[in-house]
């Protein structure tokens, strides 16, 4: 197996200019809230290190997490993710299908054992030995557990992979859970040694995914995590902390309906069920759709989708958070 080109070399081969590359490094430095001068450190690391192999396993999922990644802003997915990292297996985005796709996955795992990024999206069914979700005749539970043992980093992308999400909502007929729970006994036995990082959201903010990969390539480690395995640089503050409606919350000015005068003036949506004060995510800082907006800016409250059991919250989505 030949030496992989560096991320910068691959970007250059795809027509990305050095200016565009440096712009990406500066953007990532900002997104990751790194100290002044970190853009140069990122650039040096990405220009010298081989692009990583990424194995993306989808279990009980809706493809929303992949769709979110397709809308990553800086740079485009085509120039960063598909061409710059080695996305060796993703059954939605890859060209191969059937036995050829499964063989490519197994080959990539074998050739990159101990070095690849394992990304999991979708909840993992535990009942009936995982038979409720299979790929190529193999249970998703088995595929994830086997691949996790050779991973350098395991990223649970989306709330389903992180905490079970909608797949684990009551009455949870498939016995679904998140990747960390599916791997708990292997971690305890020392068979899985890679750090497990949760990137929740329904779907997750796409730049959080690219940010994690960039951080690891730059520093050779993962960023600090909170008690739910989420990167603190993205999940260290609540959605409420940086909401444009925060001044109205502090003045106790709350909209009473989605079309009343207060709502039109941008008043706080807490009384309409906004879960921003209880939800940790980067929605209001990085925003969505190329930095355009986020739910409260568009007039709807936060559903708390980055939190565990958000789908089963007592009272539903539109009850007051407190």
């Amino acid at each position: 197996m030949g030496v992989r080109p560096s991320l910068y070399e691959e970007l250059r081969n795809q027509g990305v200019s050095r200016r565009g590359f440096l712009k990406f490094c500066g953007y990532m430095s900002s997104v990751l809230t790194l100290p002044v001068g970190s853009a140069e450190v990122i650039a040096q690391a990405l220009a010298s290190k081989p692009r990583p192999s990424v194995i993306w396993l989808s279990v009980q999922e809706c493809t929303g997490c992949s769709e979110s990644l397709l809308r990553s802003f800086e740079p485009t997915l085509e120039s960063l993710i598909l061409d710059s990292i080695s996305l060796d297996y993703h059954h939605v985005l890859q060209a191969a299908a059937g036995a050829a796709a499964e063989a490519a996955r197994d080959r990539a795992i074998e050739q990159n054992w101990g070095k690849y990024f394992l990304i999991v999206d979708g909840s993992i069914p535990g009942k009936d030995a995982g038979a409720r979700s299979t790929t190529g005749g193999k249970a998703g539970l088995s595929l994830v557990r086997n691949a996790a043992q050779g991973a350098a980093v395991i990223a649970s992308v989306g709330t389903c992979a992180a905490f079970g999400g909608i797949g684990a909502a009551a009455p949870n007929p498939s016995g679904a859970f998140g990747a960390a729970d599916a791997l708990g006994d292997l971690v305890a036995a020392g068979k899985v040694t890679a750090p497990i990082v949760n990137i929740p959201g329904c779907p997750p903010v796409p730049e959080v995914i690219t940010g994690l990969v960039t951080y690891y390539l730059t520093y050779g480690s993962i960023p600090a995590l909170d008690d739910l395995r989420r990167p603190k640089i993205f999940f260290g503050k609540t959605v409420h902390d940086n909401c444009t409606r925060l001044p109205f919350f502090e003045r106790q000015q709350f909209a009473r309906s989605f079309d009343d005068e207060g709502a039109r003036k941008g008043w706080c949506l807490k009384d309409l069920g906004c879960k921003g004060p209880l939800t940790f995510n980067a929605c209001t800082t990085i925003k969505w759709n190329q930095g355009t907006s986020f739910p409260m800016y568009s007039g709807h409250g936060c559903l708390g989708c980055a939190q565990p059991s958000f789908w089963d919250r007592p009272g539903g989505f539109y009850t007051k958070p407190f």
Side-chain angles (χ1 to χ4, degrees), residues 12-42:
R12 186 176 58 190
N13 292 337
Q14 298 298 326
V16 176
S17 67
R18 179 163 179 79
R19 180 178 181 181
F21 172 67
L22 293 175
K23 180 181 178 182
F24 166 72
C25 294
Y27 176 75
M28 276 292 121
S29 177
S30 174
V31 166
L32 294 166
T33 62
L34 297 175
V36 174
S38 295
E40 182 178 349
V41 176
I42 293 174

Side-chain angles (χ1 to χ4, degrees), residues 55 71 76 81 133 184 187-188 219 226 230 237 257 273 282 309 322:
I55 309 296
R71 286 149 182 79
T76 64
I81 299 301
S133 177
V187 172
Y219 298 106
D226 66 11
R230 302 175 299 192
K237 292 185 177 182
S257 70
S309 304
F322 48 79

